DNA sequence: GTCTATAACAGGATAGAC
DNA sequence: GTCTATCCTGTTATAGAC
């Protein structure tokens, strides 16, 4: 067998990058091939299920990222809550390129996306929410309160990404992230 | 000339309905033809520019809706601010089918969408924001405060639509709308 | 103004050589 | 494992009758 031209990590990063900017219907296999440096047929070798399987794999990859960089950071009981929050928000800021990038969950939850990948999207969102929920609990919030605040973090991030892009103003995302700090630390 | 089979208002409503559920790349001219009851060639007769021109027309239609049902309601100086807010939020709730529908602005701001329709999306969002800005000013807020609160209304609505769909829970949107009442009336 | 029919092209997917 | 070449379907768009 020939050697792998692109390793799995780079491959997934490249694939995710395309899907999140162009959406599911908007990305062609050609786009994916160009972005990764592989030919279409090579992508089919790695993902026999084609475009659908690739998008599913991207969602698994994204979920791993959220687990490592958001949930585990927020649940790390060795650190003070304020530190955990600051670190998680830094990671989130980086994930979205300070608001310049869009979210893969939003990109894959249009139309077909929702019916095809609804489960994966939901799992990703719940991973995110459960991390912030735990932070809220550790800060002494009641169950319902912690749940709603956690949900609000995702709402603010998704909303600010949509609006920031729409009005063409990066500061919308920045302000949302700063708002999330205050949401917990007061 | 033959009579119009579908009037402009019904036509635009049907076209918008497809675009906002399937996204720009996700909707085919066939989808639009089926939804409106016209044939593809008839759509080209009304919109010589094809799919792109149709999406642009939908954005103009959406902007008119926002102007009538959000901005003008919020700026109606004959009513108390609390009444204006309640009415605008009711209209917004209806527009999004209590959270079951998605937003045309989000649907048309993926990828191609942003480069093709960025201006239209921005105008729609600014129409929305300017309405709430005026409400904030009338309630005695300072310029910067009113601007941010107005932006937040759009962020919360867009975010709650994304998250509500993603986690499959209608109450997310409901709670966001209730939150917007409290945001101004305290 | 709307229709049927069709052209021209792009996209997803597969075959088979290396 | 990756590549080139190809198939086939669906898509945008146009031509021309009514």
């Amino acid at each position: 067998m020939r050697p792998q031209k692109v390793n799995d990590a780079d491959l997934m990063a490249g694939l995710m990058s395309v899907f999140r900017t162009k959406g599911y219907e908007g990305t062609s296999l050609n786009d994916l091939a160009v972005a990764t440096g592989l030919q279409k047929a090579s992508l089919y070798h790695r993902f026999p299920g084609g475009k659908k399987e690739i998008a599913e794999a991207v969602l698994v990859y994204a979920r791993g990222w959220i687990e490592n960089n958001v949930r585990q950071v927020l649940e790390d009981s060795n650190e003070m809550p304020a530190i955990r929050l600051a670190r998680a928000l830094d990671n989130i800021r980086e994930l979205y390129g300070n608001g310049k990038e869009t979210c893969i969950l939003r990109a894959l939850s249009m139309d077909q996306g929702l019916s095809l990948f609804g489960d994966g999207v939901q799992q990703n969102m719940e991973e995110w929410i459960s991390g912030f929920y735990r932070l809220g609990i550790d800060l002494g919030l009641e169950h319902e309160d912690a749940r709603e605040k956690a949900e609000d973090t995702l709402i603010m991030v998704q909303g600010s990404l949509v609006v920031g892009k729409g009005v063409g103003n990066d500061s919308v995302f920045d302000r949302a992230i700063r708002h999330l700090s205050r949401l917990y630390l007061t």
Side-chain angles (χ1 to χ4, degrees), chain A:
Chain A
M1 305 184 183
R2 287 199 190 176
Q4 269 197 349
K5 195 176 170 185
V6 183
N7 68 44
D8 278 17
D10 288 350
L11 182 61
M12 293 315 302
L15 295 170
M16 178 162 107
S17 162
V18 179
F19 273 121
R20 79 169 173 179
T21 58
K22 312 189 89 143
Y24 183 67
E25 324 266 1
T27 86
S28 69
L29 286 176
N30 218 340
D31 294 331
L32 297 173
V34 170
T36 57
L38 289 179
Q39 293 299 325
K40 285 190 283 183
S42 304
L43 288 173
Y44 274 96
H45 175 79
R46 297 216 190 175
F47 305 95
K51 191 167 143 178
K52 179 161 177 274
E53 186 179 338
I54 296 178
E56 283 164 352
V58 163
L59 276 178
V60 171
Y61 174 78
R63 193 179 171 191
W65 193 95
I66 293 177
E67 177 166 352
N68 291 329
N69 298 87
V70 178
R71 197 178 64 105
Q72 287 189 7
V73 168
L74 288 169
E75 295 183 353
D76 176 9
S77 50
N78 294 325
E79 291 290 351
M80 303 266 293
I83 303 288
R84 297 184 230 163
L85 176 61
R87 284 185 184 158
L89 291 180
D90 273 349
N91 290 341
I92 288 167
R93 227 190 306 254
E94 192 194 348
L95 172 63
Y96 296 116
N98 289 308
K100 284 192 244 311
E101 307 287 337
T102 72
C103 181
I104 185 68
L105 303 180
R106 171 186 157 217
L108 292 182
S109 53
M110 287 298 307
D111 179 47
Q112 285 252 1
L114 247 199
S115 46
L116 292 178
F117 315 115
D119 287 354
V121 169
Q122 182 171 1
Q123 287 166 8
N124 270 271
M125 290 191 173
E126 283 171 356
E127 187 85 22
W128 173 302
I129 291 171
S130 78
F132 280 95
Y133 171 78
R134 174 65 172 276
L135 179 74
I137 293 295
D138 288 356
L139 280 167
L141 298 180
E142 294 297 323
H143 168 75
E144 195 55 27
D145 220 32
R147 173 81 198 174
E148 290 186 356
K149 264 204 167 73
E151 218 172 67
D152 285 346
T153 63
L154 188 51
I155 290 173
M156 289 293 297
V157 166
Q158 296 290 343
S160 67
L161 286 172
V162 172
V163 175
K165 277 268 179 191
V167 301
N169 182 351
D170 288 354
S171 73
V172 175
F173 177 76
D174 276 351
R175 193 166 67 77
I177 295 289
R178 289 200 307 277
H179 176 77
L180 292 184
S181 302
R182 289 198 304 274
L183 191 63
Y184 280 96
L185 303 179
T186 41

